[in-house]
Amino acid sequence: MNKRVENRLEVRDLHVSFPARRTFPWQAASRVRAVNGVSFAIEPGSIVGLVGESGSGKSTIARTIMGLVQADAGQILLGGMDLCRIGRGARLALRRSRRLQMIWQDPAASLDPRFTVRQSLLAGWGRDDIVARAARARQLIRSVGLPERVWDQRPGQMSGGQNQRVAIARALLGDPAVLVADEPTSALDVSVQAGVGTHLAALAREAGSSCLLVSHDLSFVSNLADQVIVLYLGTVMEQGPALRLMTRPRHPYTAALLGASPQGYLAGEASPRYRLRGELPSPLHPPSGCQFRTRCPFAEARCAEVRPVLRQVDGGGMVACHVSERLAAPLRRMAQGLAPGTSRAHPSSLSPHQTVRTDFE
């Protein structure tokens, strides 16, 4: 089996739920549906971004792929092997093979404070591998933009950005088939986010890994990912090529995420923007029909009666919306409503108050 087949990750109709806490012992047991029928595929050397508000299910998907959460139904296929149905021994062997690697949100918590960078990177490797891996580790340290002197430093002697670069190098040291990055730059200063993200994307592509990038920051994801999936209450609202989704959104929620950015996409005064109001509905009692309808300014009567299904749209990708055709032109104008002379901004050009926010009012 060649590397392209071995490193291909496919998620099919994934469902994940958790038991809800009962306020009183006589209450009937219920479950919170965190992920509802999500499907996507990541080709080796490509990056897929998962975007959504807190509680959208994006981190649950990442943890399910890593085997930290058990799926209720669906498949997670890696090289033809279903990760949802392998036994404990096969799962342990998979972890030891380092084919699945995860970059955690908090770099300080993911590195042992007692270990130097050298010890953190080489821990767990056998004697036969240590020399070759040490050379590879030094190369990765340079590749992620760190100076040679950090080799003998501990996490407390480095900045948050440096620690996250070490975490990226450690994850890539084993040439993983799948790299899962869960909010890899959210704990970092905005000034270093773009640099860390760019290194991560370049090295993942170079290694031929299937990379899943989880973030609430739509601007950050759109500049790194090949495909973007927009989640709301565990359900896919829209998915497609990153550039098409950013310039021609077909779902009101995607347009709202773009509209939450004051830095570019809707910077023009004449842009017909709108702000979402209200709170995210309870996943215990989601709205009928379209789950987004309670916060959608374009909702119609049928949105409360029939749940929309994902369907193909022109330009590539899929959308789950009853009125997407009617909104195609207005949403496109919203996404293209840039102020004169502006262009699609890279995160490195943003100031701290210009990051994409999803805490809608």
Side-chain angles (χ1 to χ4, degrees):
M1 188 179 295
N2 60 45
K3 188 173 183 179
R4 186 160 191 83
V5 176
E6 287 182 343
N7 290 10
R8 186 178 192 271
L9 180 74
E10 184 176 2
V11 175
R12 296 181 180 175
D13 196 25
L14 187 66
H15 293 261
V16 183
S17 65
F18 300 100
R21 181 180 299 177
R22 292 186 293 179
T23 306
F24 303 103
W26 57 82
Q27 285 182 321
S30 58
R31 299 185 69 86
V32 177
R33 294 190 297 172
V35 180
N36 301 310
V38 173
S39 299
F40 60 88
I42 311 178
E43 301 297 334
S46 65
I47 300 174
V48 169
L50 282 180
V51 181
E53 298 172 88
S54 297
S56 64
K58 55 188 188 297
S59 291
T60 299
I61 293 173
R63 293 172 66 86
T64 305
I65 292 172
M66 294 300 299
L68 303 176
V69 173
Q70 185 174 358
D72 296 337
Q75 294 178 298
I76 300 175
L77 302 174
L78 175 61
M81 176 175 56
D82 189 353
L83 304 185
C84 294
R85 288 167 176 78
I86 60 176
R88 183 176 180 181
R91 173 66 68 176
L92 183 59
L94 184 63
R95 288 178 179 173
R96 287 175 176 170
S97 72
R98 302 177 187 245
R99 292 190 68 200
L100 293 176
Q101 290 293 313
M102 188 163 186
I103 300 173
W104 301 93
Q105 179 175 352
D106 186 357
S110 64
L111 298 174
D112 192 319
R114 302 167 298 176
F115 283 9
T116 63
V117 170
R118 176 182 60 83
Q119 291 171 320
S120 291
L121 266 62
L122 300 181
W125 290 99
R127 291 184 179 180
D128 297 337
D129 297 321
I130 203 73
V131 175
R133 291 299 169 181
R136 170 65 172 156
R138 285 184 178 274
Q139 178 188 357
L140 282 170
I141 286 297
R142 293 191 295 269
S143 297
V144 296
L146 289 174
E148 192 75 20
R149 66 176 182 273
V150 305
W151 188 248
D152 294 312
Q153 290 182 342
R154 292 178 171 81
Q157 299 173 290
M158 298 183 295
S159 67
Q162 289 176 321
N163 282 324
Q164 192 63 298
R165 286 182 167 93
V166 172
I168 291 172
R170 182 178 63 177
L172 289 166
L173 184 58
D175 297 322
V178 176
L179 183 64
V180 178
D182 188 4
E183 301 275 8
T185 63
S186 64
L188 307 181
D189 187 88
V190 174
S191 62
V192 300
Q193 284 183 4
V196 171
T198 300
H199 282 305
L200 169 62
L203 290 171
R205 289 191 170 98
E206 180 185 345
S209 301
S210 298
C211 183
L212 181 67
L213 179 60
V214 176
S215 180
H216 66 281
D217 190 334
L218 191 54
S219 175
F220 172 76
V221 168
S222 68
N223 280 279
L224 300 178
D226 303 291
Q227 300 278 325
V228 175
I229 300 170
V230 179
L231 291 173
Y232 186 80
L233 284 182
T235 302
V236 176
M237 299 287 103
E238 184 173 4
Q239 64 184 69
L243 183 59
R244 197 280 300 164
L245 191 139
M246 295 302 124
T247 57
R248 288 185 291 164
R250 297 298 299 270
H251 197 285
Y253 184 54
T254 306
L257 292 178
L258 296 176
S261 170
Q263 53 84 20
Y265 295 104
L266 302 179
E269 289 295 328
S271 301
R273 62 186 297 172
Y274 70 89
R275 296 180 64 85
L276 293 181
R277 301 190 180 276
E279 299 295 329
L280 194 72
S282 169
L284 264 177
H285 306 287
S288 61
C290 177
Q291 296 185 114
F292 181 63
R293 66 174 178 81
T294 57
R295 303 172 72 190
C296 179
F298 309 109
E300 300 178 349
R302 59 174 169 168
C303 297
E305 300 168 357
V306 182
R307 180 177 178 178
V309 296
L310 279 172
R311 51 192 172 81
Q312 296 284 342
V313 295
D314 58 329
M318 307 179 76
V319 66
C321 179
H322 291 307
V323 296
S324 62
E325 282 75 17
R326 178 169 62 85
L327 300 177
L331 294 184
R332 183 181 304 176
R333 287 195 298 271
M334 292 173 69
Q336 295 175 345
L338 299 174
T342 63
S343 62
R344 188 175 174 213
H346 191 279
S348 61
S349 67
L350 306 185
S351 62
H353 65 279
Q354 289 180 312
T355 54
V356 174
R357 296 200 312 270
T358 55
D359 51 339
F360 303 119
E361 298 175 354

